[in-house]
């Protein structure tokens, strides 16, 4: 037995341990994810999630190294928000979704969770449910997983050097010639289930090397917590497989599907009231049409490359909805139209969205605004994109917006450029 095997054996059979490891996870100043480990001693094992929650302190980190604070005043505080079982360390160890504050207790500008939580606290009786479909693309050495690197293969759908065959056989596929990345998808699903994330399914997507998993239904702020932690788990799983995950909404140009974060949504009124489709949902959709460009501004960077009207998308500059229509901005399921109540699917969000931002914006447009509730949320606007992170930007070029769209940092010019291609 070598040293590493002995260590593993000792850890698995340790009867004297009185500690747990808590992996604090947070969103950095570039829209990526960071984490570090806090050892909490004096814990009676085995310990439940609730036992550990009460022992989690407010912690801090060097914000000057994450694009979230200047070097001369670099301390940023981490407040524990959602706690999950740690699928990598097992036992009573946990992963903690935290958000970021100044030492004085003020949410820092990149803390989008605080604004979203404030929105959901306005009208909690509506119990907004979200189910988000996270699409992603797996890369190995700069090439999508399963794509030929230099020469056509003798079998499978490859018909062009460096490219696989046309889309068609890859969606929900089986077989080594058409399905690439199943072990990663399965490992991620099992890890999420172990952690306690509300993951509800997974499948191979239309473009080879592209996959999707679904998180939900989650209520209100839980949706963002579960989505962000599911992304963190995906990053960790990909580490183990020596691949990279891309959240880019159009990772490969040309006749290939992009990647989205279709957001399924309902409120208690939508789910339970008779004739809700006509009396509740259609007024919501009308308000979404009026605020279409406000939503587009928050629905992910590079989304203009995805929302073209092709590949099961609606054009970025036009709002539409329709029953069972995957070419519309919002799809109304057949069952919802038939029963007169239920949910709808907003198909506009890109794969690199901030789920705190998107869920709160949908709730604001469909509930708060229609009920005269003012919401003083503050969110970060887009910066520049980076393939393997949800959002990226120069620390000197953050842009933010306030409820009511009092724009800072030349946002409207940026938006025009994105929409009309200037």
């Amino acid at each position: 037995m070598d040293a590493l095997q002995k260590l593993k054996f000792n850890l698995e059979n340790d009867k004297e341990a009185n500690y747990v490891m808590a992996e604090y996870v947070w969103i950095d100043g570039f829209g990526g994810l960071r984490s570090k480990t806090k050892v909490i001693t004096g814990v009676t094992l085995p310990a439940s999630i609730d036992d550990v929650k009460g022992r989690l302190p407010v912690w801090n980190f060097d914000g000057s190294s994450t694009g979230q604070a200047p070097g001369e005043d670099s301390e940023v505080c981490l407040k524990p928000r959602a706690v999950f079982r740690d699928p990598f360390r097992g036992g009573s160890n946990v992963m903690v979704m935290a958000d970021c504050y100044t030492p004085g207790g003020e949410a820092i500008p990149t803390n989008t969770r605080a604004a979203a939580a404030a929105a959901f606290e306005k009208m909690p009786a509506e119990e907004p449910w979200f189910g988000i479909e996270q699409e992603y693309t797996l890369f190995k050495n700069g090439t999508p997983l399963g794509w030929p690197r230099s020469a056509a293969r003798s079998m499978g759908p490859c018909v062009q050097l460096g490219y696989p065959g046309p889309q068609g056989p890859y969606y929900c596929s089986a077989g080594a010639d058409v399905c690439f990345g199943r072990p990663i998808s399965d490992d991620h699903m099992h890890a999420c289930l172990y952690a306690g994330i509300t993951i509800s399914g997974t499948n191979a997507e239309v473009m080879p090397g592209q996959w999707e998993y679904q998180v939900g239904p989650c209520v209100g702020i839980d949706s963002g917590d579960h989505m962000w932690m599911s992304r963190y788990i995906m990053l960790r799983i990909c580490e183990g497989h020596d691949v990279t995950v891309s959240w880019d909404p159009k990772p490969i140009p040309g006749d290939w599907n992009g990647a989205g974060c279709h957001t399924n949504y309902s409120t208690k009124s939508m789910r339970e009231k008779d004739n809700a489709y006509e009396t509740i949902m259609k007024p919501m959709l009308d308000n979404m049409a009026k605020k279409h460009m406000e939503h587009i501004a928050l629905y992910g960077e590079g989304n203009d490359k995805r929302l073209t009207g092709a590949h099961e998308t609606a054009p970025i500059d036009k709002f539409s909805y329709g029953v069972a229509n995957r070419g519309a901005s919002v799809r109304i399921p057949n069952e919802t139209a038939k029963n007169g109540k239920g949910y709808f699917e907003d198909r506009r969000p890109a794969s690199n969205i901030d789920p705190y931002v998107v869920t709160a914006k949908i709730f604001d447009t469909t509930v708060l605004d229609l009920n005269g509730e003012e919401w003083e949320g503050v969110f970060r606007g887009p910066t520049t994109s980076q393939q393997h992170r949800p959002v990226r930007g120069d620390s000197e070029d953050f842009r933010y917006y306030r409820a009511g769209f009092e724009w800072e940092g030349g946002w409207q010019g940026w938006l025009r450029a994105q929409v009309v291609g200037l």
Side-chain angles (χ1 to χ4, degrees):
M1 183 181 294
D2 63 25
L4 289 178
Q5 289 176 321
K6 288 179 181 177
L7 174 60
K8 182 179 179 182
F9 176 84
N10 289 337
L11 290 174
E12 290 174 348
N13 294 276
D14 186 3
K15 306 299 182 184
E16 305 297 324
N18 67 341
Y19 61 88
V20 296
M21 290 168 279
E23 193 72 14
Y24 280 59
V25 180
W26 72 95
I27 305 165
D28 69 14
F30 312 112
L33 288 164
R34 309 285 179 117
S35 73
K36 63 176 188 172
T37 305
K38 181 76 171 177
V39 177
I40 300 171
T41 58
V43 179
T44 301
L45 299 179
S48 69
I49 287 281
D50 289 335
D51 292 336
V52 177
K53 275 183 183 178
R55 299 290 308 279
L56 295 173
V58 174
W59 206 11
N60 63 72
F61 66 92
D62 170 18
S64 68
S65 297
T66 63
Q68 291 169 288
E72 63 272 15
D73 186 16
S74 65
E75 186 174 302
V76 177
C77 297
L78 290 169
K79 291 188 178 181
R81 295 303 185 190
V83 184
F84 303 89
R85 298 169 68 199
D86 189 332
F88 303 104
R89 292 182 171 128
S92 298
N93 301 299
V94 297
M95 300 188 304
V96 183
M97 194 69 220
D99 60 351
C100 300
Y101 295 81
T102 67
E106 180 182 356
I108 67 171
T110 57
N111 181 350
T112 54
R113 188 188 190 280
F120 294 124
E121 288 166 4
K122 290 278 186 180
M123 295 185 67
E126 277 298 326
E127 296 179 13
W129 288 5
F130 296 94
I132 300 182
E133 305 169 21
Q134 175 70 71
E135 294 179 334
Y136 60 94
T137 309
L138 297 170
F139 279 76
K140 178 79 171 180
N141 299 325
T143 302
L145 209 62
W147 287 44
R149 292 186 57 81
S150 59
R153 292 173 290 184
S154 59
M155 297 182 65
C158 184
V159 295
Q160 181 180 357
L161 298 185
Y163 286 88
Q167 295 182 153
Y170 309 108
Y171 174 71
C172 296
S173 57
D177 58 340
V178 288
C179 184
F180 315 111
R182 189 186 302 280
I184 297 164
S185 174
D186 281 355
D187 286 354
H188 176 258
M189 179 172 60
H190 289 306
C192 284
L193 288 168
Y194 181 96
I197 287 169
T198 310
I199 188 169
S200 50
T202 185
N203 59 269
E205 266 301 335
V206 176
M207 190 182 87
Q210 188 182 77
W211 287 78
E212 173 190 300
Y213 64 89
Q214 304 90 36
V215 170
C218 295
V219 179
I221 198 67
D222 289 348
S223 181
D225 290 339
H226 284 233
M227 276 295 303
W228 275 112
M229 190 57 80
S230 75
R231 286 174 171 176
Y232 175 77
I233 291 174
M234 176 60 76
L235 293 171
R236 293 282 303 275
I237 292 293
C238 287
E239 284 179 18
H241 286 272
D242 195 27
V243 300
T244 301
V245 59
S246 170
W247 313 109
D248 193 292
K250 190 69 174 178
I252 302 295
D255 193 18
W256 304 99
N257 272 37
C261 250
H262 302 154
T263 302
N264 299 276
Y265 170 70
S266 70
T267 63
K268 188 172 184 179
S269 300
M270 291 166 61
R271 293 188 296 271
E272 297 182 1
K273 290 191 176 180
D274 292 336
N275 203 31
Y277 180 43
E278 294 292 335
T279 62
I280 296 173
M281 295 173 67
K282 285 190 174 180
M284 288 178 171
L285 293 164
D286 289 342
N287 209 34
M288 292 181 84
K290 293 174 186 175
K291 295 177 177 288
H292 173 60
M293 296 314 299
E294 293 181 12
H295 282 253
I296 289 297
L298 302 174
Y299 276 16
E301 292 186 69
N303 212 11
D304 55 308
K305 298 178 180 64
R306 168 180 164 264
L307 296 182
T308 62
H311 302 111
E312 300 178 295
T313 70
I316 194 169
D317 59 344
K318 294 182 176 64
F319 180 85
S320 60
Y321 68 88
V323 176
N325 186 355
R326 282 180 163 77
S329 307
V330 174
R331 178 182 65 89
I332 312 299
N334 279 311
E335 199 72 7
T336 295
K338 177 183 175 182
N339 296 335
K341 55 187 175 183
Y343 73 98
F344 60 70
E345 176 194 38
D346 190 341
R347 298 180 57 81
R348 296 171 294 172
S351 51
N352 59 2
I353 60 164
D354 182 335
Y356 291 135
V357 172
V358 168
T359 55
K361 182 58 181 173
I362 292 173
F363 187 65
D364 178 40
T365 296
T366 60
V367 176
L368 300 184
D369 189 58
L370 292 177
N371 285 276
E373 288 281 351
E374 293 187 1
W375 171 47
E376 297 300 324
V378 179
F379 286 146
R380 178 186 57 227
T383 46
T384 57
S385 63
Q386 185 185 39
Q387 184 182 75
H388 69 284
R389 286 183 172 175
V391 180
R392 171 102 199 271
D394 285 338
S395 58
E396 296 178 357
D397 192 32
F398 287 137
R399 301 184 177 99
Y400 312 98
Y401 87 91
R402 299 182 182 277
F405 291 83
E406 299 170 359
W407 297 102
E408 303 173 11
W411 166 268
Q412 289 181 344
W414 180 92
L415 178 59
R416 285 196 298 274
Q418 297 303 308
V419 172
V420 303
L422 296 177

